[in-house]
Amino acid sequence: MKIIVTGSLGNISQPLTQILVIQGHAVTVVSSNPEKKAVIENLGAIPAIGSISDVNFLTQTFKGADAVYTMIPLSFTEPDLGDYLRRMAQNYAQALKEAGTKRIVVLSGWAADLVKSENVEHLFDGLDASVTIMRPGSFYTNFYQSIDLIKGKGVIGKFLTLRYSGLWSLLTGKTGLLMGNYGGDDRIVFVSPIDIADAVAEELILLPSGKNIRYVGSEELTCNQAAKIIGTAISKPWLKWVLLSDKEMLQGLKMAKLPEKLAETLVEMQAAMHSGKTLENFHKNQPKMGKVKLADFAEEFAAVYHKK
Ligand SMILES: NC(=O)c1ccc[n+]([C@@H]2O[C@H](COP(=O)([O-])OP(=O)(O)OC[C@H]3O[C@@H](n4cnc5c(N)ncnc54)[C@H](OP(=O)(O)O)[C@@H]3O)[C@@H](O)[C@H]2O)c1
């Protein structure tokens, strides 16, 4: 099959490309960076260099493909995350329609239907195609963004908040604590991007009718259990994941000069995870869990942690 993979050599798209190439498919990888060309070719795929903000580029790239995997990279600079996601999803939908693509696998997230401002899944509804929406839990790879914080303070938190942790600590006097309006004993479905890649690869070669939703997870744990697994791998078994209120979180993000709408969306996303509703939805769908457990990832994490 001729398959288009967006997301360049990202957490999901690199293993996805490797799987599809091994299976014998003709794979085109979309990257915005011309310097990635050689690496993409070395994986046995064809690079398509351009931006997902360019509908014409997407349309040309999708023409003649049997299946397309779409993802929207997160942006922390866009003032309104929901608006950015809508624009990118509309670009995809228009290009897929014009290219006449019949099989589409869309990356979303497990909190998508609980965070209205962020949910763009419906923009793929009007297409004359078989569409599967992937709803993965929280990526293991988010832990990489905690490295500086763990080194400095010994507490684990969540992706974006970490970028502002120094300032937050300064402003609130909560030095050594983290951050995230989910955490502590909240139960979360964590997922390896490798397991997501496996699931996307399975989906791309199927042709189910209409629209389908597939949840993806690797291991369900409390945040503190996850912190312990990561902490043990780096000889800090006492590592904790501290839970903040929505108000504290929002205040911190605003003080850190994050655009207001973006801050609100992030707090809403994490609040949905803290509420347990995302977990409830996940359980209702009863997906089969993937094979990569957090302890496996923790070894990789420890190697990166010690190198930094
Ligand atoms: N983190 C989580 O817990 C979580 C949970 C659920 C869902 N998600 C979703 O997962 C997605 C991230 O997936 P991932 O981790 O596999 O991706 P990733 O590792 O963040 O990689 C995305 C790649 O997209 C490319 N890119 C960036 N801007 C582009 C543009 N304008 N046009 C074309 N390509 C562009 C970049 O590579 P180049 O520089 O080569 O272009 C980038 O490395 C997010 O969108 C998020 O919504 C995340």
Side-chain angles (χ1 to χ4, degrees):
M1 282 172 68
K2 184 176 175 194
I3 299 177
I4 314 298
V5 172
T6 62
S8 185
L9 303 172
N11 294 312
I12 298 168
S13 299
Q14 176 152 344
L16 174 60
T17 300
Q18 287 167 319
I19 296 166
L20 295 172
V21 167
I22 286 171
Q23 289 176 351
H25 301 290
V27 184
T28 295
V29 174
V30 173
S31 160
S32 64
N33 182 354
E35 288 174 13
K36 301 269 173 72
K37 256 178 143 173
V39 191
I40 292 170
E41 282 166 354
N42 283 341
L43 289 179
I46 303 157
I49 306 299
S51 174
I52 62 162
S53 57
D54 179 348
V55 179
N56 289 332
F57 160 73
L58 290 178
T59 308
Q60 293 312 316
T61 306
F62 296 166
K63 270 188 184 156
D66 298 299
V68 174
Y69 162 69
T70 72
M71 64 81 66
I72 304 175
L74 270 193
S75 168
F76 297 115
T77 51
E78 289 280 339
D80 183 337
L81 183 61
D83 179 63
Y84 159 76
L85 294 174
R86 264 188 303 281
R87 279 188 281 118
M88 295 307 118
Q90 273 160 356
N91 286 350
Y92 275 135
Q94 189 182 332
L96 290 160
K97 189 175 174 191
E98 284 172 21
T101 310
K102 293 294 177 213
R103 177 63 178 141
I104 304 158
V105 178
V106 176
L107 181 68
S108 182
W110 71 323
D113 62 351
L114 297 169
V115 185
K116 288 194 176 57
S117 54
E118 196 218 358
N119 189 350
V120 293
E121 294 174 354
H122 62 282
L123 294 171
F124 293 84
D125 281 355
L127 298 166
D128 177 23
S130 158
V131 179
T132 297
I133 306 285
M134 307 300 289
R135 288 190 180 166
S138 183
F139 295 8
Y140 290 159
T141 40
N142 294 337
F143 286 108
Y144 286 129
Q145 297 177 43
S146 306
I147 289 179
D148 288 346
L149 192 84
I150 297 169
K151 287 200 169 185
K153 305 194 169 71
V155 183
I156 273 189
K158 177 71 170 101
F159 59 105
L160 182 80
T161 55
L162 299 176
R163 296 172 181 225
Y164 301 92
S165 58
L167 184 57
W168 171 264
S169 300
L170 206 72
L171 293 170
T172 60
K174 288 189 173 185
T175 308
L177 295 187
L178 243 213
M179 246 165 258
N181 51 324
Y182 80 88
D185 291 325
D186 291 346
R187 293 192 74 78
I188 297 296
V189 173
F190 295 95
V191 63
S192 162
I194 296 168
D195 284 335
I196 305 171
D198 275 339
V200 172
E202 261 176 39
E203 290 293 337
L204 281 164
I205 57 168
L206 301 175
L207 200 62
S209 62
K211 182 179 171 186
N212 296 278
I213 293 176
R214 176 165 175 179
Y215 283 77
V216 193
S218 300
E219 192 167 13
E220 183 185 322
L221 296 162
T222 69
C223 291
N224 277 335
Q225 283 170 336
K228 190 170 175 105
I229 292 170
I230 292 288
T232 302
I234 54 169
S235 307
K236 292 182 191 284
W238 39 265
L239 209 62
K240 289 271 181 276
W241 187 328
V242 176
L243 173 68
L244 295 181
S245 70
D246 294 355
K247 204 174 152 195
E248 283 175 309
M249 176 79 178
L250 189 61
Q251 222 179 350
L253 293 176
K254 281 184 184 170
M255 284 193 286
K257 302 262 186 283
L258 204 70
E260 197 167 325
K261 270 202 153 174
L262 176 58
E264 283 166 5
T265 304
L266 290 164
V267 170
E268 195 186 350
M269 269 166 65
Q270 297 200 17
M273 289 160 76
H274 174 60
S275 73
K277 286 183 189 152
T278 42
L279 188 64
E280 213 176 283
N281 275 356
F282 188 89
H283 286 164
K284 263 190 220 152
N285 285 274
Q286 300 184 312
K288 198 175 111 212
M289 290 301 238
K291 58 182 186 301
V292 185
K293 299 302 161 196
L294 185 60
D296 305 321
F297 170 78
E299 287 176 26
E300 244 175 71
F301 177 86
V304 175
Y305 178 90
H306 290 305
K307 245 190 230 161
K308 221 176 161 194

